[in-house]
Amino acid sequence: MFSGVFKEAKVEELVSLLSCFVWRERLPDAAKPREELDLLFIQLQDTARRVAEVQLDCKVDIDVESFVHSFRPDIMEAVYAWAKGSKFYEIMEIARVFEGSLIRAIRRMEEVLQQLIVAAKSIGETQLEAKLEEAVSKIKRDIVFAASLYL
């Protein structure tokens, strides 16, 4: 947030990047994300490595490589497509995961976005705040946020 990555990324790319924070499952056949998403993921890994190394310097017991690899790019493409307006069945073809797992991940991303909105507001980043609110509006739709799946 402070390095400007969120501010420079398009809304769909930002949402896609946030999927790496909430997705923990390892998908053996996950496709590598497109180039612009992969570059964002590489920036995330570099930042994670710096954070872990600072923690080590502060005598926090952490495995740097394990921390860096805890961020998963497996659903970046599916989340990007969702933010672009794709239908749920279309993103399920991209992700090839259980429906409930993907729904949970997108709902958790919305929670993270809400927290980031509060953070952006508290540091006076009104443009970033607006971008994050737009991201919420793009992902908070259809069956993923239905009150009940038994409609």
Side-chain angles (χ1 to χ4, degrees):
M1 186 169 190
F2 291 110
S3 65
V5 173
F6 289 172
K7 195 183 281 187
E8 295 170 10
K10 296 177 188 165
V11 173
E12 295 84 4
E13 294 171 346
L14 170 70
V15 171
S16 180
L17 181 63
L18 287 178
S19 73
C20 302
F21 287 85
V22 300
W23 187 256
R24 294 292 175 233
E25 295 179 35
R26 186 172 298 275
L27 301 178
D29 60 341
K32 186 175 177 155
R34 69 184 73 198
E35 185 179 349
E36 61 268 16
L37 299 181
D38 195 39
L39 291 174
L40 285 172
F41 181 67
I42 290 168
Q43 285 182 307
L44 169 64
Q45 286 184 312
D46 292 342
T47 303
R49 184 169 280 107
R50 282 196 313 273
V51 167
E53 288 169 356
V54 168
Q55 288 180 328
L56 272 179
D57 292 344
C58 295
K59 307 294 185 234
V60 174
D61 186 30
I62 186 169
D63 178 3
V64 174
E65 290 307 310
S66 176
F67 179 70
V68 169
H69 294 299
S70 69
F71 298 96
R72 308 287 318 147
D74 301 342
I75 62 168
M76 287 182 81
E77 283 292 338
V79 171
Y80 182 85
W82 181 253
K84 287 289 251 185
S86 294
K87 301 213 179 300
F88 189 71
Y89 75 88
E90 294 170 335
I91 67 167
M92 287 308 305
E93 291 174 2
I94 297 169
R96 301 197 183 277
V97 297
F98 290 117
E99 293 91 348
S101 296
L102 192 56
I103 287 172
R104 256 188 317 279
I106 295 172
R107 284 178 168 231
R108 286 177 61 207
M109 284 182 348
E110 190 266 339
E111 292 169 5
V112 170
L113 281 164
Q114 293 295 348
Q115 292 172 348
L116 287 172
I117 289 168
V118 171
K121 184 181 288 188
S122 70
I123 62 173
E125 285 283 351
T126 54
Q127 288 178 329
L128 181 58
E129 180 185 351
K131 182 183 274 191
L132 294 167
E133 286 172 350
E134 182 183 350
V136 168
S137 70
K138 285 189 175 223
I139 66 167
K140 195 170 182 177
R141 61 185 175 84
D142 296 339
I143 193 167
V144 173
F145 286 91
S148 171
L149 297 180
Y150 300 104
L151 298 177

